[in-house]
Amino acid sequence: MTQQTTHRCGWVALMGPPNAGKSTLLNALLGQKVTIVTPKPQTTRNQIVGILTDDDAQAIFMDTPGLSQVRGRLSKTMIQAVWQSLGQADVIVLVLDAHLYIRKPEFLERDLAPVAQALAGDERPMAVVVNKVDMFADKSRMLPLLTRLNEMWPRAEIFPVSALRKDGLPELAALLKSLLPEGEDQFPEDQISTAPVRFMAAEIIREKLFLILRQEVPYSVAVDIESWQEDAERGQTVIHALIYVSSPQHKGMVIGKGGATLKQVGIEARKDIQELIEGKVHLELWVKVREQWTEDPAFLRELGLSGETL
Ligand SMILES: Nc1nc2c(ncn2[C@@H]2O[C@H](COP(=O)(O)OP(=O)(O)OP(=O)(O)O)[C@@H](O)[C@H]2O)c(=O)[nH]1
Ligand SMILES: [Mg+2]
């Protein structure tokens, strides 16, 4: 006799302050990279969907930009993406950097104020992921933090994990699955993201720019794939990408001495894009100045930064 089991499917919003490890957590849960990660805050700019399917459940995760002070139109569209994801979620996961709040407990209330306000009175299932526990050996150091989080969100499950080392993730995935509503899969079982491959390639280039460039330059950078063509003769995909910057000075910094910086970005991005599309890639990068692009709503929409689901 076969036993009737419940199938679950639903949307899970990963939200929290910048640099908490939301994107790292999503990639680790999926066992595949769908969203970019850098040590700089405010890496993720829109909602990015990653889908985890197994026999009895499908969890549709939404990675979101870090919630921080809003400055300018780009930040506003980033925050919009967070609220949009929250509206769509069946389950809410708040991700925090445990190490940060152990060292600076006074930042906790300030950083979580926007989330606390948005979630006041919300009755959807919720989990708090206390991430980066690999950064301190004495685990008892997080007890005051856990106590405070429990006071702030008494109904939430609190999970200490290390997304980087994948510690605690099977338990977290099992809990999140159990919190999903009953329902049939919404996506084919082999689909891992809803983001088009072109968008993912542009994000990879942006990741390399974030990793290689210093100070404020990465925040003035946007990447647009201009053309994407198969060259059957050479057996490769030819990709032309435009890197937008907001000033001639930044253009110089992206290009680097004798073109060295841009070359390095190209080499590293090409490697990852080849892995993504499982084929040979010829990548050409161009840098263009577009002053004030972060304040231009039509341009933000063109780049897919309108706060909507991809
Ligand atoms: N030691 C340690 N580092 C981590 C862990 N998870 C993430 N990181 C690091 O934290 C930094 C930020 O990670 P992201 O995943 O980009 O963080 P995020 O929350 O998506 O950041 P935004 O998109 O900017 O909001 C990266 O350098 C990660 O390698 C962890 O469990 N342990
Ligand atoms: Mg991120």
Side-chain angles (χ1 to χ4, degrees), residues 111-126:
D111 289 357
L112 297 191
V115 190
Q117 213 177 353
L119 295 180
D122 201 305
E123 300 203 330
R124 286 173 289 182
M126 181 180 168

Side-chain angles (χ1 to χ4, degrees), residues 22-24 35-37 43-44 63-66:
K22 301 176 291 297
S23 302
T24 306
T35 179
I36 63 170
V37 168
T43 298
T44 306
D63 185 17
T64 67

Side-chain angles (χ1 to χ4, degrees), residues 160-185:
V161 308
S162 166
L164 193 69
R165 301 246 170 100
K166 302 197 177 188
D167 285 343
L169 297 197
E171 295 81 358
L172 174 65
L175 168 87
L176 294 179
K177 258 170 53 175
S178 75
L179 297 177
L180 295 173
E182 281 182 32
E184 290 309 309
D185 287 356

Side-chain angles (χ1 to χ4, degrees), residues 17-80:
N19 217 37
K22 301 176 291 297
S23 302
T24 306
L25 178 66
L26 177 55
N27 291 337
L29 284 165
L30 298 179
Q32 199 171 319
K33 181 161 170 169
V34 296
T35 179
I36 63 170
V37 168
T38 82
K40 295 190 173 71
Q42 287 165 353
T43 298
T44 306
R45 285 185 180 161
N46 29 10
Q47 180 205 78
I48 298 180
V49 170
I51 306 159
L52 183 64
T53 307
D54 51 32
D55 290 342
D56 53 354
Q58 180 169 73
I60 308 153
F61 290 99
M62 294 170 279
D63 185 17
T64 67
L67 271 170
S68 63
Q69 298 266 316
V70 175
R71 250 176 281 108
R73 213 175 268 274
L74 172 61
S75 310
K76 268 193 200 137
T77 68
M78 285 163 61
I79 302 297
Q80 228 174 299

